């Protein structure tokens, strides 16, 4: 086992879906995979391996935020040989017209975190999705009649903020959604020469204040899971 994952070598597939919420990992495993084995219960951060249309696939919860995501991403790659990592999560919309339930394929992930500033000695790195995965996801979504748009996102270090204007500058520069994880997933994947992509559903709109109901959120998780599973 690794520091935070209780699996033995070989128990995790080369392709791993990464929902933030471990119960979403269970939901997807229960609803989409066959021959499911739960390989991790450490910290209740469930991880499952099963098969989808005959292909071995794992689904690992990452928790919320950059540090937690970095821990699971590092260990999945270094200790278990993961080669393709697809985050499926939710984001807040930064534009009035990007409504609840819309799907965003994150081409790049900006951040207010210092993690890359420290790594790159104060310079700015541009964390970017793997193009092949992005291209496949975009076309697969359309094939499945699921509307999905490709856009840059913002990985924030905070969910609650005193300054309600702080997202404005990002929206003005074409950034459509805010979440809290992808910037580090893309950076680690680049460094370790593996493929990564983030697929997001808009769960709330920071301009209008609208929030998705739990039922609608579940339906959209299904859409994201379908896109991710079908491109593997
Ligand atoms: N902010 C940050 N992360 C999020 C949000 C949000 O509004 N919605 C979903 N993830």
């Amino acid at each position: 086992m690794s520091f935070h994952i209780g699996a033995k070598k070989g128990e995790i597939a080369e392709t791993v879906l990464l929902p933030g919420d471990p119960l979403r990992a269970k939901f997807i495993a229960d609803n989409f995979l066959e021959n499911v084995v739960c390989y991790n219960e450490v910290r209740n951060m469930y991880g499952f391996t099963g098969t989808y249309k005959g292909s071995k696939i794992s689904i690992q919860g990452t928790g919320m935020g950059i540090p937690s995501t970095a821990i699971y991403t590092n260990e999945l790659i270094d200790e278990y040989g993961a080669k393709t990592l697809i985050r499926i999560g939710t984001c807040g919309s930064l534009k009035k017209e990007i409504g609840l339930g819309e799907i965003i394929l994150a081409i790049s992930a900006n951040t207010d975190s210092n993690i890359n500033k420290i790594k790159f000695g104060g310079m700015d790195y541009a964390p970017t999705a793997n193009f092949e995965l992005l291209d496949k996801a975009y076309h697969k979504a359309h094939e499945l009649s699921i509307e999905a748009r490709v856009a840059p996102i913002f990985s924030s270090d905070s969910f609650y903020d005193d300054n309600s204007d702080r997202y404005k500058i990002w929206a003005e520069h074409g950034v459509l959604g805010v979440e809290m994880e992808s910037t580090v997933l893309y950076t680690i994947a680049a460094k370790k020469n593996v493929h990564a992509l983030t697929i997001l559903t808009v769960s709330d709109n920071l301009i209008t204040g609208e929030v998705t109901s739990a039922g609608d959120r579940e339906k959209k998780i299904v859409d994201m899971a379908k896109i991710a599973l079908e491109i593997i």
Side-chain angles (χ1 to χ4, degrees), residues 57-147:
I57 171 136
S58 295
I59 310 176
Q60 173 65 55
T62 63
M64 290 177 280
I66 287 167
S68 186
T69 304
I71 286 171
Y72 291 99
T73 303
N74 273 301
E75 292 183 21
L76 286 167
I77 299 167
D78 290 347
E79 309 292 335
Y80 297 101
K83 299 265 185 279
T84 299
L85 299 152
I86 304 177
R87 165 167 154 69
I88 47 177
T90 56
C91 69
S93 167
L94 300 182
K95 296 221 175 183
K96 202 165 118 198
E97 60 275 18
I98 311 291
L100 302 184
E102 290 209 32
I103 289 184
I104 296 175
L105 307 174
I107 190 167
S108 59
N110 308 279
T111 190
D112 58 357
S113 160
N114 255 343
I115 191 164
N116 280 351
K117 283 246 192 283
I118 294 164
K119 195 196 238 327
F120 289 88
M123 295 184 285
D124 286 321
Y125 174 68
T128 309
N130 172 262
F131 179 73
E132 200 185 327
L133 282 178
L134 178 64
D135 188 46
K136 276 194 199 161
Y138 180 74
H139 288 101
K140 182 56 75 178
H142 287 270
E143 201 182 303
L144 295 169
S145 302
I146 299 169
E147 218 178 294

Side-chain angles (χ1 to χ4, degrees), residues 87 89-93 154 156 158-160 167 178-181 201-206:
R87 165 167 154 69
T90 56
C91 69
S93 167
F154 175 56
S156 176
S158 48
F159 187 89
Y160 297 106
Y167 296 114
V178 52
E179 48 89 92
M180 302 180 72
E181 292 82 15
T201 300
V202 173
S203 60
D204 52 294
N205 188 307
L206 278 85

Side-chain angles (χ1 to χ4, degrees), residues 15 42 44 51 100 149 167 178 187 190-191 198 202 210 214 218:
T15 299
V42 177
N44 286 337
T51 55
L100 302 184
R149 67 173 86 212
Y167 296 114
V178 52
T187 303
K191 174 77 198 296
T198 288
V202 173
E210 291 168 288
E218 201 147 285

